[in-house]
Amino acid sequence: MSNSNLLISISFLFFFISFTSTFFNDTHKCSPQQALDLLLFKQNLSSINFSFDYPLYSPCQDWLGSDYYYPIMMNWNKNTDCCKWNGVTCNHYTGDVISIDLSCGMLQGTLHPNTSLFRLPHLQTLNLAYNVLTDSQLPRDFSNSLTHLNISRCGFTGNNSWEILLLPKLVSLDLSWNYGLHMQPDVLKNLLRNSSHLSELLMPQIHIGWVSPTFLNLSSSLKSLDLSYTDLQGKLLDNIFNLQYLEKLDLSANFDLTGPLPNVNTSLNIPLKRLDLSNCGLVGSLPKSLANLRHLTSLDLSYNKLNGTLPSFLFTLPLLEDIILGNNMFSGGLPSTLFNHRSLKRLSLGRNQFNGKINGGSTQPSFIQLVNLTYLSLSFNNFTGLWDLDTLLSSLPNLQGLLLSNTGLSVITNNGSSSYVNPNFRRLGLAFCKLTLFPESLRAMKKLTYLDLSNNEIHGRIPDWAREIGANELYYLDLSFNSITGLPKFQWDGMEYLNLQSNQIQGSFPPSVCNMSRLLLLDISNNSFSGVIPQCLGNINSSLLFLHLQSNQIQGQFPTSICNMRNLDSLDISNNSITGVIPQCLRNIVSSLWMIDMGHNSFHGIIPDVYEECGELQGLILNGNQLQGEVPSSLSNCQSLMVLDVGNNKLNGTFPHWLGDLPELQALVLKSNKFHGPIETPDTYKSAFPGMRVLDLSHNEFEGHLPRTYLQNFNAMKNVVKNSTTPIYLSIGKFYTVTTAVKGRDLEFPKISVDYVILVLSNNRFEGEIPGIIGCLVSLKVLDLSHNSLTGKIPSVLGNLSEIESLDLSWNQLTGEIPQSLAHLTFLGFLNLSQNHLVGSIPSGTQLGTFEASFGGNPKLCGLPLPTKCEHRQETQLEIDGDGDGESGFTWRVVMMGYGCGTILGLVMGHVMLSTGRPKWFNAIVDAAEHIIHTRKNTRRFVYIGK
């Protein structure tokens, strides 16, 4: 009986397995129509086949590793059941396709509203995230079964219409980071209020432009809301902290969302866990009622304008793990309750105004009590104290990031005893911490990605074991501004930012740099590197943006492989000994470059005509070489050019008047070349050079009259408005350095302020009078017209140059007296009027008497500081137009003279004459303006100035 029952049971089991297998085999096959719809969808797309280093795909690499390189639809074909295709899930009983997950699928193409994918009637989940579906559009008809839709980072465009509201079962909607998508505020409001099942709504970077209401009504189902980067405007919602169902809220990067933080309703049990209001326009202090957010685990209020002290109640919230308050205006010391908050994992207080001592002992940081801390940033504050790095690292076993740059703290390291370091440590910033040794604790940081030890006192060679730091994960290394003399043979192939500038490093160019295929910035400037630039540097042909090799001892020719760097923005190889010609292949990369500095080398030949597509170029500096020929006229295509410096070469030709077509040009240096001829203004350039601030044409062979029309156009020299006490420097990606004659000698400006206006026309063959229009350039700091053949009187209008610091008119043939108006130039630090034919008395009682060497070579001058005394004050006869007012000394000639600088200035000068009635002042101006206004030959009368 027993055997019989066993046999029956076994038979039944086989029958059941056979039936079940047959049943599932029959039901698992998707319908032919749905398979066809999926194949049509595949047919309209292709697989990505370019480099996967592109930043868009880095999350996919992190998530999938090597699997990411396999296109997800490779096994989609008509010979297999679509339910077995990658990314496809079917209903076990009906065979209907219910879920499609093609995220990170390496897909590219464009989806149209009628795409067959959207016709699947039973689709519940659709995930297309992280593909390149540029210009795709959402359909008007979705499956009513859809519960989860994710099209984040795909490139969808267009407007989200009302049809999105007709998905009754929608639980999760992720439209984030589709820069071309828009949603009308009314659609959003209805989504928030009326979606009965919607639990998660993620819309970062979707343009909405909603002026937020005072209060916000949300569906009770909504638990997570992300409206970051959506152009929300207006005051922060009054009930933002009192939404009874919301657990996650992100309104960050809505820069026009303003106001103080509202109060929390203390009578409610608010479930909010994660709050991000960073990068808004929030002001004021943190309200005490925030202490009622008892479920809060993460708080990010960084990048606002919040102020006050750091409240102690913040550290009584029992579940709070992340406090991100960087880039605000908090001040004062840190509360003691902070150091007892053992649950704290991430604390970011950088870039505030905190101060005070934060040591627990002699060199023990108080933070060693926070044993769960994984990230600590105190950078850019005003703390004091001395911290032991080894003690801190060994006391915080979970620490992965430590940023102490510019804290005011001094950091020491023992380097003599081994201490524990978290093997997962990733970020270390210790700039400006007075470190004297390269920390040995770095040796254990095998996963380090970010290291900043710049602006310290580290000296000597970097130890050989440093090559092991971070392995291939180190992408940021800044050792600049130390006294390092040597480097190990490193192999950091994943490096993106390498800054070694301003050390004392010797030796040849590090060849391992050629293997850094992801490098964005390479700066080894201001060292003692020698040898040649290796051709293999061109291997970094797709990523490199900044290549700065200046101020070394590099020799050899310019490597043509650099011409392969098609994304290069800034190229600086100045102050080396590089020889040869500037290669023509530079045209391959000039379209992306906005700064080229090859100055102070030994280049010869001509400036190549390679700038047909140079619309981004802001600075071209080729000074201090041996270049010949003319300045190529194709530079007129560089409409963004701000600085052109080709001084100290062997260039020739006439003045390149076509440069007047460049609307942004602010600095033009042609000094010390062989330019010749008159500087004439063609009719087509009557409004040239309106932005000119620095013009140096010295040491050439220009001749004729000073370029009056060009001087008239220098509007930027007429009035530089100082908007703040903080100087603004002329920048072309780096601060522009100019060397020009100031105070009688060549002076280098490592960076030049935009309000430091310079006009140097010395050492040429200019003749004729000094045009009075120069008196309109009232923002001039430096004016040098020396070593020419200028004649006539010194115009009294030069007394209008109220900002002038250096004035040199020496070695000309100027005549007449020194105008009294020069005595009122209160900022004048250098004056040279020597070697002219000036006569009369030097204006007394002013600072002019302190310039001892400024008046030599004028034998008919007298008075201090010269040894020749004036026997008597000569009365000067001035002609006055008979149409004037005899008592006030006013005529309309003063208005007309001001009109040369501008109508407003002329009227102002006239008003001053009417209101002050100062004939001496008036007559001095008339004397200077006689070459502009013709003297009428009618009844005249005379006014005498003298004692």
Side-chain angles (χ1 to χ4, degrees), residues 253-311:
N254 287 292
F255 306 105
D256 295 322
L257 199 59
T258 61
L261 292 172
N263 289 315
V264 179
N265 189 335
T266 56
S267 64
L268 298 176
N269 182 22
I270 307 299
L272 193 63
K273 296 179 181 179
R274 303 181 66 85
L275 176 64
D276 189 345
L277 297 176
S278 61
N279 282 285
C280 293
L282 304 180
V283 297
S285 58
L286 302 184
K288 293 181 179 180
S289 58
L290 283 180
N292 194 50
L293 298 177
R294 308 296 292 176
H295 300 280
L296 202 63
T297 61
S298 177
L299 175 65
D300 190 345
L301 300 175
S302 59
Y303 293 91
N304 281 287
K305 298 178 182 178
L306 300 170
N307 55 34
T309 58
L310 191 61

Side-chain angles (χ1 to χ4, degrees), residues 844 873-875 920 944-947:
S844 59
R873 186 173 181 86
Q874 181 180 357
E875 293 180 337
K920 293 182 180 180
Y944 293 89
I945 298 177
K947 294 183 179 179

Side-chain angles (χ1 to χ4, degrees), residues 616-800:
E616 301 295 323
L617 192 64
Q618 297 180 14
L620 177 61
I621 304 171
L622 302 174
N623 63 321
N625 283 285
Q626 301 172 29
L627 298 171
Q628 299 174 324
E630 298 187 359
V631 179
S633 59
S634 57
L635 280 175
S636 60
N637 296 318
C638 308
Q639 290 292 294
S640 298
L641 198 65
M642 299 169 60
V643 172
L644 176 61
D645 188 343
V646 294
N648 296 93
N649 279 285
K650 299 178 180 179
L651 299 172
N652 56 34
T654 58
F655 181 77
H657 55 80
W658 42 263
L659 289 173
D661 271 344
L662 302 177
E664 305 295 329
L665 193 63
Q666 298 183 38
L668 175 60
V669 178
L670 304 179
K671 63 179 287 189
S672 299
N673 279 286
K674 298 180 180 179
F675 293 105
H676 60 270
I679 301 180
E680 298 176 345
T681 310
D683 292 338
T684 54
Y685 296 97
K686 293 297 185 182
S687 301
F689 305 113
M692 189 65 68
R693 300 178 189 275
V694 176
L695 178 63
D696 190 343
L697 307 182
S698 63
H699 294 276
N700 280 287
E701 299 174 8
F702 290 119
E703 59 188 34
H705 289 81
L706 293 176
R708 184 188 306 270
T709 303
Y710 282 145
L711 295 172
Q712 172 70 47
N713 294 336
F714 291 168
N715 295 329
M717 294 188 181
K718 295 178 182 177
N719 186 23
V720 175
V721 179
K722 296 182 180 179
N723 295 320
S724 66
T725 56
T726 303
I728 302 174
Y729 296 100
L730 181 56
S731 176
I732 49 175
K734 70 170 188 174
F735 294 127
Y736 171 52
T737 298
V738 62
T739 300
T740 189
V742 177
K743 300 182 180 180
R745 58 189 178 89
D746 279 346
L747 184 65
E748 180 180 80
F749 294 84
K751 52 185 180 179
I752 186 165
S753 171
V754 296
D755 64 357
Y756 205 91
V757 179
I758 298 174
L759 178 59
V760 180
L761 305 178
S762 61
N763 289 275
N764 281 285
R765 300 175 182 174
F766 290 118
E767 58 188 22
E769 297 183 346
I770 298 174
I773 191 64
I774 290 182
C776 301
L777 309 181
V778 294
S779 295
L780 275 174
K781 299 282 189 180
V782 177
L783 175 61
D784 189 350
L785 304 178
S786 65
H787 292 85
N788 281 289
S789 300
L790 301 175
T791 58
K793 297 180 179 180
I794 298 175
S796 294
V797 289
L798 295 189
N800 295 339

Side-chain angles (χ1 to χ4, degrees), residues 320-587:
L320 192 58
E321 298 177 346
D322 299 341
I323 300 176
I324 315 297
L325 301 177
N327 292 81
N328 279 287
M329 296 185 291
F330 291 109
S331 58
L334 302 183
S336 58
T337 53
L338 186 160
F339 306 108
N340 299 320
H341 194 68
R342 300 298 179 89
S343 64
L344 197 61
K345 293 184 178 180
R346 299 176 71 235
L347 178 64
S348 177
L349 304 177
R351 295 186 184 272
N352 278 284
Q353 301 167 20
F354 292 115
N355 54 46
K357 192 171 184 178
I358 47 177
N359 280 34
S362 57
T363 61
Q364 287 191 353
S366 303
F367 288 92
I368 63 175
Q369 304 172 56
L370 304 177
V371 294
N372 292 309
L373 208 61
T374 62
Y375 178 84
L376 174 62
S377 174
L378 303 176
S379 298
F380 294 91
N381 280 289
N382 300 304
F383 296 115
T384 59
L386 180 66
W387 280 18
D388 188 318
L389 178 64
D390 305 313
T391 301
L392 183 65
L393 294 175
S394 60
S395 302
L396 300 176
N398 298 304
L399 197 64
Q400 297 182 24
L402 176 64
L403 301 181
L404 301 179
S405 298
N406 288 86
T407 54
L409 296 169
S410 297
V411 176
I412 60 173
T413 177
N414 190 347
N415 274 9
S417 59
S418 59
S419 58
Y420 175 81
V421 177
N422 182 0
N424 293 316
F425 199 97
R426 291 186 173 273
R427 294 175 63 85
L428 180 62
L430 298 176
F432 292 95
C433 286
K434 300 180 181 179
L435 267 174
T436 59
L437 298 174
F438 192 80
E440 194 161 339
S441 52
L442 293 170
R443 193 169 192 171
M445 299 180 184
K446 304 298 185 183
K447 295 185 179 180
L448 195 69
T449 61
Y450 175 99
L451 177 60
D452 186 354
L453 300 180
S454 63
N455 293 277
N456 280 292
E457 300 166 13
I458 301 171
H459 55 274
R461 285 187 60 86
I462 300 299
D464 287 341
W465 55 258
R467 73 183 72 175
E468 304 169 9
I469 298 173
N472 280 335
E473 296 192 36
L474 188 66
Y475 74 88
Y476 184 104
L477 177 61
D478 192 343
L479 301 178
S480 62
F481 296 97
N482 281 283
S483 298
I484 298 168
T485 58
L487 299 171
K489 294 182 179 179
F490 50 79
Q491 287 291 337
W492 294 309
D493 294 348
M495 189 68 66
E496 297 179 10
Y497 181 102
L498 180 59
N499 191 348
L500 304 174
Q501 70 162 310
S502 299
N503 279 283
Q504 300 167 18
I505 304 172
Q506 300 176 354
S508 59
F509 189 96
S512 57
V513 170
C514 297
N515 298 323
M516 298 178 181
S517 59
R518 298 181 181 179
L519 199 62
L520 300 174
L521 178 144
L522 174 62
D523 192 339
I524 62 171
S525 61
N526 294 290
N527 280 286
S528 297
F529 285 105
S530 57
V532 301
I533 304 173
Q535 283 286 347
C536 68
L537 190 62
N539 295 345
I540 317 171
N541 57 17
S542 60
S543 63
L544 197 65
L545 301 177
F546 303 91
L547 178 59
H548 292 174
L549 312 179
Q550 70 269 25
S551 300
N552 280 284
Q553 299 170 17
I554 298 173
Q555 300 173 335
Q557 296 190 351
F558 182 91
T560 56
S561 63
I562 290 179
C563 297
N564 298 327
M565 298 177 180
R566 56 183 179 271
N567 292 315
L568 198 63
D569 286 340
S570 178
L571 173 63
D572 193 341
I573 57 173
S574 61
N575 292 286
N576 282 287
S577 300
I578 302 173
T579 60
V581 299
I582 301 175
Q584 291 286 338
C585 68
L586 207 59
R587 73 179 70 203

